[in-house]
Structures are given as structure tokens and as C-alpha cells.
């Protein structure tokens, strides 16, 4: 159906007068409705909203397309009534009356005016919802709760997500543990930064407050976002103020959580894992770890996903009570959900053992940490030091082995020679532990203070296959429909592998090429291959590169073609397919080599840590199986004329692993700290104890 003359005139008039398109299309829609229904008043509506709120008989969807040349074609009318979008952004049902004579007034006011009034109220209320969320980021509990009560009075529905955010804030946000422990609170700026990081689900990292790149810096300039919103014609959310006055007390926090939880019950909102986390934290604020653990069990009972942080409130509460058995019970629950302890959970175990545990319990935890963690935070190392300094149970290590003593501790005390005789039937009181900070460890792993060497600690045999399987599963998942390409590589590997050394060819080729004219450099890949052949003649090497590189013009050069031919003859080359991330290929290959695998790359592999199923496997592997490199000389005159294989110098992994270890030579405990130092706890006879200040530092 083409437009009538009258509708065509409206089109012409709208373009001549340059009327807004919303008004223009509203008037067009009116003409279409007039031709179809025949009962709509002939005069056009005064506004888009006025037309949208006219009650029309339900005739189905009026879907139409406008063409400047052909006019408006008649649309296909479908049985279902369409929800019409009003100018305030809300949808209303297509029509409810039986004709144009349906009720046009509500509460004595014209429906048009009443809907405008309701629209304005909805706008105001809609704006308060994001303001409440923004209050969480600003750490302003008082402002958020005032908005919550104001919205509640007007009977506006709120969802579980919003309530979880408010309950998170009402529990003290990232300061909940400081409240629970009775520690001084962070400053307002520190608390706001922590709350913003938690609310967005992103861990705060150093430098995150600074935008990256020119565009990011431009976006951070004052007024840029405000100007963009104004230009787009959208409403600008009022600014949420910073919190004023003293921070809320523990009692005020608990009362706020109770108020929010009560609303969820009355509104019929179903709690999720975020809700149970807030409720567990509420119990921790009240010093009730049993109640916190009850919410964990309720979350499990309801079939909600369980995360490590859900256990933290109960862990902290039982640590404050020095209840070793309960903290170990929680540790068992964590394992039952196939969750891996992070340093935080291990720190809670160390904390409670330092206060009231036994040496056997400490040793068991430290041996687990040796497998699962690398370097520790200073605060975690302090719990270890506190046990040996302040807990009398530390002396249990010097008892005979059949009485719970530690093998090797008394038999080879620190400072004793290899020929020293092991004392027969040692008395517990004649030995003690000495804590030495900043203990020096040589490049070979020798520690003079501990009288022994730290060793290589790699993945256990049972972990290698699980790790490789996890990588393969993630690779296939990320490749989607191209997953068969990874399967083809696995088949190729089974025929030609295993390989001891993997070369990340792209990383090597682009090294030091950040200058005009720089790019993928095959010569550098050739140098690295020759260096590895000379340094590890018995090792099997695989050079891996993306397929597009062998199609480039540079790869057709005679020397490059000759080099690629050599690699292919030695079965030392694989080109990863298009659309695939070659990182998965060389990571899988290196892990399949188990203890012998070595990756040559300067890639820090940060992207992989968070995507692998078992991060502890990746971190331990990364510590032992990556070789970095650098130019042997940065003099361009030298690098241009070096012999093949002499361009780079290789930095192989250290001959030891930086993780918690007990030295076989002396029984001393070595604890690496993430500031580059070591904590040494060594057994000495009472007469041999030396002050820390007198120890030489190497």
C-alpha cells in the first residue's frame, strides 16, 4: 500500500521543515494506522509520546520500511501484538482497549499527561539504580542506603545483582576482614580503590589508575565523558559524593546487611553465591565463624557455584579463635569441591598453626606449599617465623622419629661436617630453632647459613598428563570450529615427538626489531637454532611459527628457503594453521616433554595464567621450563658480522626452584619471599645459636 496524498504531503513537509525523525516517523505511522483502521483521528499527534499512548485496536505488528523513492510499502501483518517503545525508553503492550473509545483518562487526568508524569518518575527512579551501584564504587554506604530506602518507599523492584552489590558494601567491602579482626581501617581513597576493583571483578594492579595509550589518556581528562554524554543526548547521572564523616561501625554494617537481606526475603528474590558470601561476611563481623560456615553449606545445598572466597569469613573467624581443627575441616571442604588453595588459604592454615598447632601439622602444610606455590608474601612468611619463635610445639621436631620428630633434623645439625656423628638419643631441650632473615643463596643454590642447597622442585609425575590434557582442552575450546587443526597437530606430534626444546620463532624473530624497517627476521631465528644445536647437541629441537610467515616474501629468499629445508629434513619445524594461536601449540608440546621440556621465549605468558584450569601447574612449570635470551652485543657493527649461532646469549632456568623447601643436609627450612630475599629457619644447639646481625650476608 502506497501513502495517501495526505501522508505524502506529511513526508514532504517533514523534510522541508527538517523536523526530527522521531516526529516524522510518528506522523507516518499515524497515516498508516489511519488507512488500516479507518477510525483514528485525522489530525496528527502533537508528539511521539502522544501517538504512542493512543489506544488502538489490536491488529498485529505494524512493521514497515520506508523508502524515499517507493514510499511506505504495506507490511506483513502477524498475529502477535507488538510491544511499542515509548519515548522514555520503556515498552508498553500494543493495545488494551476495544476501540478508540476505550478509557482515555486515569485518576481524572488525561492519559497523555498521566503517562508523561509516570515517564518522568520512571526516569528519576531508573537513574537511582546506577547511582546505587556507583555508591558501591565510591564506598559510600550511607548514600547508597538512603537511595535504597527512597526507592523502596516508591515500591520499585530491585534485582538480586543490585542487592548483592549493596550487601557487599554493607559488609565493609574489601575492609570486611579488617573489621572482623579489629584492625585499623584503610583510608577513604584506599578503600574506594579496593571497592571499585572488587565491584568490577578485576584485580587491582599497579598502574591501573593510569589509562594506557593516547586514547586512554584522552578519556581520562576531566569533562571528556561528560561532553560525550551531552552530545549523545542522554541523561547525565548525578555525581555520587565521597563518604563523609567517620566510617560506619561494625554494628551499623550488620544492621545494613540485615535490612537488605530482609528486603530480599519480602521481595521473593532468590539468593545466589554473591548473597551467601555477604551473609557469611556478616557472621564474621559478628565473630560467629560457625554461622559463616553454615552459609557456605547452605550455598552448597542450594546447588550454587562455590568459590574460594566463600570460605574466607569462616577461616578468619576460626583463626581468631585459634581453632586448628575447624580450619583444617574447612581446608578439607575446599579440597572436596576440587578447588586449589591459593596463598591466602595456606596463610590461614599457617596462622592458626602458628598460634596453636603442632610441628607435624606445620610440616604437612609446608610440604603442600612446596608443590603448589613459589615465592610467598612477607606476611605469609611471618607466620612461619612466628611458629618457630613463639610456639613451644616447634621443639617436637627434635624428638626421636618414632615419637613424631622430623627425620634428619637432629642427625645433621646446621654447621656440622659430613663426618659428624649423629647424637644418640637426643634430648629435646638441647636443640632449638633459629630464624634468620635475608639469608643469602648463591646462583648454584647454596646457602651458607642453612649449610645446604636448595634443589629443583618440579611438577609431580601425576600432574604432567593432567596439565597437558587441560591445555589441549582449552586449545580446542578456544579454536572452536578449527579445533580439528589442533587434533591434526597432536597426531603429527605423536609421529615425530617428543621434543626437548621449543623455539617461539615469532618472539625470536621480532626481538629488538622496534625500529623503522624492522620486522620478522628469519636470520635471528637461524641464529637461535644454531645456538641451541651447539649448546644442547643431544636435545631434539622444534621451531614453531605461524603459517603466514612461510608465505611471506621474506621466506622465499634463498638463505631462508635453505634454512627451512634444513628444519623440515630434521623434522624440526611446524607451521601452525591460520586462525590458531600458536601459543597453545608450543605450550602443549613443551608440557608433553615433562621434566625435559624447555621453551625459548621472552614471552612472560601472562595471558595463560588466568585461563588454565590449574594455575598452580602453570606457575610451577613456568619457574622451571622457560629460557630467556638477549643479544650477545648491542653494537650494530658487531651483530652484523657475528658467526652463525653467536648473535644471542641464553639465560637458562636456575638450578633450583624458589619454593618452600626443607634441606636434606641440615633439616633447615628455606622460604623464598617475593621481594627477592629468603627466610631461613635452621636447627642449632643452644650453645651454637648466633645472632642474626653476626651472620654474613653474601
Amino acid at each position: 500500500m502506497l501513502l495517501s496524498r495526505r501522508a505524502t504531503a506529511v513526508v514532504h513537509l517533514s523534510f522541508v521543515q527538517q523536523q526530527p525523525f522521531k516526529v516524522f516517523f510518528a506522523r507516518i505511522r499515524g497515516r498508516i494506522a489511519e488507512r488500516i483502521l479507518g477510525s483514528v483521528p485525522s489530525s496528527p499527534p502533537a508528539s511521539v509520546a502522544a501517538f504512542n499512548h493512543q489506544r488502538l485496536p489490536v491488529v498485529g505488528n505494524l512493521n514497515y520500511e520506508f523508502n524515499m523513492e517507493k514510499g511506505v510499502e504495506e507490511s506483513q501483518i502477524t498475529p502477535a501484538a507488538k510491544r511499542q517503545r515509548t519515548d522514555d525508553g520503556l515498552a508498553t503492550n500494543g493495545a488494551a482497549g476495544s476501540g478508540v473509545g476505550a478509557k482515555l483518562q486515569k485518576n481524572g487526568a488525561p492519559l497523555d499527561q498521566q503517562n508523561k508524569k509516570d515517564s518522568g518518575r520512571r526516569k528519576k527512579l531508573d537513574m537511582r539504580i546506577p547511582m546505587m551501584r556507583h555508591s558501591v564504587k565510591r564506598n559510600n554506604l550511607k548514600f547508597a542506603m538512603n537511595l535504597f530506602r527512597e526507592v523502596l518507599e516508591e515500591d520499585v523492584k530491585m534485582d538480586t545483582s543490585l542487592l548483592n552489590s549493596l550487601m557487599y558494601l554493607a559488609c565493609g567491602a574489601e575492609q570486611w576482614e579488617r573489621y572482623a579482626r579489629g584492625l585499623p581501617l584503610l583510608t577513604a581513597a584506599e578503600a574506594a580503590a579496593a571497592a571499585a576493583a572488587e565491584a568490577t571483578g578485576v584485580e587491582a594492579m599497579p598502574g591501573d589508575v593510569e589509562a594506557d595509550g593516547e586514547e586512554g589518556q584522552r578519556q581520562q581528562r576531566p569533562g571528556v565523558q561528560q561532553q560525550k554524554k551531552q552530545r549523545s543526548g542522554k541523561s547525565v547521572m548525578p555525581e555520587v559524593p565521597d563518604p563523609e564523616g567517620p566510617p560506619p561501625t561494625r554494628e551499623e554494617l550488620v544492621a545494613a546487611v540485615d535490612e537488605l537481606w530482609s528486603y530480599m526475603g519480602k521481595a521473593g528474590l532468590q539468593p545466589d553465591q554473591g548473597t551467601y558470601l555477604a551473609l557469611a561476611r556478616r557472621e564474621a563481623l559478628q565473630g560467629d565463624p560457625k554461622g559463616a560456615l553454615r552459609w557456605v553449606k547452605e550455598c552448597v545445598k542450594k546447588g550454587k557455584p562455590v568459590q574460594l572466597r566463600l570460605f574466607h569469613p569462616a577461616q578468619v573467624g576460626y583463626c581468631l579463635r585459634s581453632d586448628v581443627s575447624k580450619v583444617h575441616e574447612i581446608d578439607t571442604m575446599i579440597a572436596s569441591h576440587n578447588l586449589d588453595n591459593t596463598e591466602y588459604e595456606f596463610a590461614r592454615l599457617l596462622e592458626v598453626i602458628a598460634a596453636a598447632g603442632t610441628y607435624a601439622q606445620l610440616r604437612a602444610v609446608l610440604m603442600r606449599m612446596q608443590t603448589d606455590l613459589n615465592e610467598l608474601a612477607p606476611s605469609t612468611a611471618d607466620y612461619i617465623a612466628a611458629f618457630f619463635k613463639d610456639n613451644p610445639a616447634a621443639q617436637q621436631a627434635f624428638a626421636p622419629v618414632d615419637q613424631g620428630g622430623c627425620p634428619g633434623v637432629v642427625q645433621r645439625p646446621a654447621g656440622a661436617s659430613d663426618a659428624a656423628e649423629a647424637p644418640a638419643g637426643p634430648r629435646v631441650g638441647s636443640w632449638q630453632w633459629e630464624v634468620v632473615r635475608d639469608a643469602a643463596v648463591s646462583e648454584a643454590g647454596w646457602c651458607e647459613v642453612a649449610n645446604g642447597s636448595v634443589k629443583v622442585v618440579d611438577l609431580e609425575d601425576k600432574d604432567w598428563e593432567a596439565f597437558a590434557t587441560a591445555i589441549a582442552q582449552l586449545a580446542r575450546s578456544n579454536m572452536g570450529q578449527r579445533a580439528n587443526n589442533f587434533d591434526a597437530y597432536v597426531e603429527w606430534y605423536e609421529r615425530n615427538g617428543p621434543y626437548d626444546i621449543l623455539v617461539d620463532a615469532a618472539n625470536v624473530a621480532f626481538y629488538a626489531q622496534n625500529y623503522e624497517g624492522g620486522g620478522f627476521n628469519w636470520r635471528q631465528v637461524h641464529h637461535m637454532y644454531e645456538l641451541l644445536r651447539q649448546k644442547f647437541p643431544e636435545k631434539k629441537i622444534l621451531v614453531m611459527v605461524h603459517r603466514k610467515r612461510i608465505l611471506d616474501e621474506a621466506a622465499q629468499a634463498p638463505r631462508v628457503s635453505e634454512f627451512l629445508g634444513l628444519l623440515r629434513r630434521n623434522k624440526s619445524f611446524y607451521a601452525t594453521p591460520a586462525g590458531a594461536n600458536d601459543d597453545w601449540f608450543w605450550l602443549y608440546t613443551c608440557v608433553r616433554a615433562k621434566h625435559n621440556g624447555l621453551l625459548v621465549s621472552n614471552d612472560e605468558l601472562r595471558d595463560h595464567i588466568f585461563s588454565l584450569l590449574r594455575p598452580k601447574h602453570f606457575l610451577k612449570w613456568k619457574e622451571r621450563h622457560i629460557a630467556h635470551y638477549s643479544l650477545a652485543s648491542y653494537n650494530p657493527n658487531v651483530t652484523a658480522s657475528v658467526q652463525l649461532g653467536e648473535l644471542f646469549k641464553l639465560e637458562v632456568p636456575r638450578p633450583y626452584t624458589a619454593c618452600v623447601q626443607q634441606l636434606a643436609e641440615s633439616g633447615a627450612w628455606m622460604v623464598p619471599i617475593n621481594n627477592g630475599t629468603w627466610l631461613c629457619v635452621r636447627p642449632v644447639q643452644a650453645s651454637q645459636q648466633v645472632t642474626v646481625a653476626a651472620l654474613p650476608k653474601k
Side-chain angles (χ1 to χ4, degrees):
M1 178 185 70
L2 295 177
L3 288 175
S4 65
R5 294 181 180 179
R6 186 172 183 180
T8 307
V10 172
V11 174
H12 176 74
L13 182 61
S14 296
F15 278 93
V16 170
Q17 296 181 353
Q18 297 183 346
Q19 295 186 19
F21 272 96
K22 281 188 176 181
V23 176
F24 162 64
F25 280 115
R27 301 182 73 178
I28 291 296
R29 186 160 53 176
R31 298 296 164 261
I32 296 174
E34 178 183 353
R35 292 296 299 271
I36 294 177
L37 302 176
S39 59
V40 179
S42 58
S43 58
S47 65
V48 179
F51 176 80
N52 285 336
H53 295 307
Q54 289 178 358
R55 301 287 182 136
L56 303 177
V58 178
V59 295
N61 287 344
L62 299 182
N63 300 321
Y64 57 88
E65 297 179 357
F66 179 76
N67 186 292
M68 290 296 293
E69 295 181 358
K70 297 182 180 180
V72 180
E73 301 292 345
E74 183 175 13
S75 66
Q76 180 180 358
I77 300 178
T78 57
K82 184 179 179 181
R83 291 174 60 85
Q84 299 175 358
R85 188 174 180 85
T86 63
D87 65 331
D88 62 355
L90 300 176
T92 58
N93 288 329
S98 59
V100 181
K103 184 171 63 174
L104 295 179
Q105 291 191 353
K106 182 180 180 182
N107 297 330
L111 186 60
D112 184 23
Q113 297 178 11
Q114 182 69 33
N115 279 327
K116 285 185 178 180
K117 182 178 180 180
D118 291 343
S119 172
R121 182 180 295 115
R122 283 193 294 268
K123 281 185 178 181
K124 182 179 181 182
L125 296 177
D126 286 346
M127 193 61 68
R128 292 172 189 169
I129 301 301
M131 287 179 69
M132 278 189 276
R133 296 187 186 277
H134 196 58
S135 298
V136 178
K137 296 183 179 182
R138 286 297 183 93
N139 199 39
N140 194 335
L141 177 62
K142 182 178 180 181
F143 187 83
M145 292 304 295
N146 286 338
L147 284 175
F148 167 76
R149 295 170 187 132
E150 184 178 338
V151 169
L152 184 60
E153 288 180 359
E154 302 186 29
D155 197 27
V156 175
K157 303 301 181 183
M158 292 171 278
D159 60 16
T160 300
S161 173
L162 175 61
L163 269 295
N164 284 348
S165 296
L166 295 177
M167 292 176 74
Y168 158 80
L169 179 60
C171 288
E174 282 305 283
Q175 303 219 59
W176 72 268
E177 188 172 345
R178 304 185 75 85
Y179 274 105
R181 293 179 179 273
L183 299 175
L185 300 179
L186 302 174
T187 64
E190 293 170 334
E198 176 70 13
T200 55
V202 179
E203 182 180 358
M205 300 294 289
D208 275 356
V209 295
E210 298 178 6
D212 295 329
E214 180 180 347
E215 177 62 18
Q217 294 174 6
R218 191 188 74 82
Q219 295 290 346
Q220 293 293 325
R221 290 201 298 269
V224 170
Q225 296 295 335
Q226 186 86 352
Q227 293 171 8
K228 289 179 66 176
K229 289 181 179 180
Q230 290 176 352
R231 286 197 300 268
S232 65
K234 296 182 180 179
S235 300
V236 179
M237 183 178 68
E239 188 70 19
V240 175
D242 290 327
E244 297 180 353
T249 64
R250 190 185 308 189
E251 292 73 20
E252 290 172 336
L253 295 179
V254 173
V257 177
D258 289 342
E259 184 177 353
L260 296 166
W261 177 234
S262 175
Y263 168 79
M264 289 188 67
K266 294 176 181 178
L269 296 177
Q270 296 300 314
D272 59 15
Q273 62 269 31
T275 313
Y276 291 120
L277 173 62
L279 294 172
R281 288 181 175 180
R282 179 192 65 176
E283 305 300 343
L285 295 179
Q286 300 180 98
D288 184 9
K290 183 178 180 180
L293 194 57
R294 185 171 59 249
W295 287 117
V296 175
K297 295 176 180 178
E298 181 69 14
C299 183
V300 174
K301 180 180 177 181
K302 296 296 184 180
K304 304 298 181 182
V306 177
Q307 297 175 321
L308 282 172
R309 61 181 181 175
L310 184 61
F311 297 92
H312 294 172
Q315 282 184 314
V316 170
Y318 284 121
C319 280
L320 294 175
R321 294 187 178 187
S322 299
D323 194 330
V324 179
S325 63
K326 280 296 184 180
V327 176
H328 274 86
E329 177 186 331
I330 295 172
D331 183 59
T332 302
M333 289 179 63
I334 291 174
S336 70
H337 289 282
N338 296 319
L339 298 172
D340 291 330
N341 275 4
T342 65
E343 185 174 346
Y344 182 92
E345 292 76 41
F346 279 121
R348 301 290 71 76
L349 287 167
L350 294 176
E351 178 184 358
V352 74
I353 291 172
T358 66
Y359 178 78
Q361 290 171 333
L362 177 78
R363 187 174 188 275
V365 172
L366 292 180
M367 296 308 294
R368 287 171 58 191
M369 295 172 67
Q370 173 179 285
T371 302
D372 292 4
L373 302 178
N374 292 334
E375 297 175 334
L376 306 180
S379 59
T380 305
D382 288 342
Y383 290 124
I384 301 174
F387 176 87
F388 287 104
K389 290 175 63 177
D390 304 326
N391 191 332
Q395 295 300 106
Q396 296 168 354
F398 303 122
V401 175
D402 58 355
Q403 299 178 20
C406 180
V409 173
V410 177
Q411 287 77 0
R412 289 286 305 278
S417 63
D418 292 341
E421 295 183 2
R427 293 194 303 260
V428 173
S430 63
W431 295 87
Q432 61 189 29
W433 292 99
E434 182 180 39
V435 176
V436 182
R437 297 185 183 274
D438 295 332
V441 175
S442 70
E443 293 183 0
W446 174 260
C447 179
E448 188 72 26
V449 171
N451 192 35
S453 298
V454 286
K455 304 295 192 298
V456 169
V457 178
D458 211 337
L459 291 177
E460 298 179 358
D461 291 338
K462 63 182 178 62
D463 294 328
W464 285 108
E465 289 300 326
F467 190 27
T469 300
I471 295 170
Q473 290 175 345
L474 287 168
R476 294 185 180 100
S477 175
N478 279 267
M479 293 175 67
Q481 296 180 351
R482 299 174 183 264
N484 60 319
N485 289 333
F486 188 83
D487 295 330
Y489 171 71
V490 173
E491 294 176 2
W492 181 91
Y493 174 87
E494 297 295 347
R495 295 193 305 269
N496 300 286
Y499 291 89
D500 304 301
I501 302 177
L502 281 298
V503 179
D504 182 1
N507 186 269
V508 174
F510 281 113
Y511 182 75
Q513 293 295 309
N514 54 340
Y515 59 86
E516 186 176 356
F520 193 95
N521 192 318
W522 280 104
R523 174 175 172 268
Q524 293 184 175
V525 179
H526 198 174
H527 270 284
M528 180 62 71
Y529 178 74
E530 288 299 324
L531 170 63
L532 295 171
R533 283 215 307 178
Q534 296 169 17
K535 192 174 183 66
F536 308 104
E538 302 301 322
K539 300 289 186 180
K540 195 171 181 180
I541 305 170
L542 178 63
V543 177
M544 194 169 284
V545 68
H546 197 278
R547 180 166 299 172
K548 66 180 181 181
R549 295 300 170 188
I550 62 177
L551 302 177
D552 291 344
E553 183 179 352
Q556 313 310 317
R559 289 188 178 181
V560 177
S561 297
E562 182 181 350
F563 171 53
L564 291 176
L566 171 67
L567 294 178
R568 290 189 174 98
R569 288 191 299 273
N570 293 337
K571 298 189 182 302
S572 295
F573 180 76
Y574 191 86
T576 58
N581 186 341
D582 56 354
D583 293 6
W584 294 113
F585 289 76
W586 49 248
L587 182 58
Y588 174 82
T589 307
C590 194
V591 170
R592 285 290 303 270
K594 299 184 178 179
H595 302 282
N596 297 325
L598 184 67
L599 170 66
V600 179
S601 177
N602 282 340
D603 192 337
E604 293 297 331
L605 311 183
R606 293 188 179 95
D607 293 340
H608 301 296
I609 293 177
F610 304 105
S611 58
L612 291 177
L613 295 177
R614 303 294 294 274
K616 68 173 187 178
H617 290 164
F618 180 79
L619 293 174
K620 189 67 69 177
W621 172 84
K622 181 180 176 182
E623 170 80 12
R624 294 291 327 135
H625 297 277
I626 298 182
H628 299 294
Y629 59 88
S630 59
L631 291 174
S633 173
Y634 285 88
N635 186 333
N637 295 326
V638 174
T639 57
S641 58
V642 295
Q643 295 294 320
L644 197 60
E646 298 180 358
L647 181 65
F648 295 107
K649 58 180 179 181
L650 205 61
E651 302 168 13
V652 296
R654 297 173 297 191
Y656 62 87
T657 304
C659 64
V660 176
Q661 301 185 36
Q662 186 174 30
L663 306 188
E665 299 94 334
S666 63
W669 286 99
M670 297 295 294
V671 180
I673 304 177
N674 58 18
N675 59 12
T677 64
W678 287 78
L679 174 74
C680 172
V681 183
R682 64 178 193 165
V684 296
Q685 288 182 309
S687 60
Q688 295 178 338
Q689 188 175 17
V690 183
T691 60
V692 175
L695 293 171
K697 184 177 180 180
K698 296 185 179 181

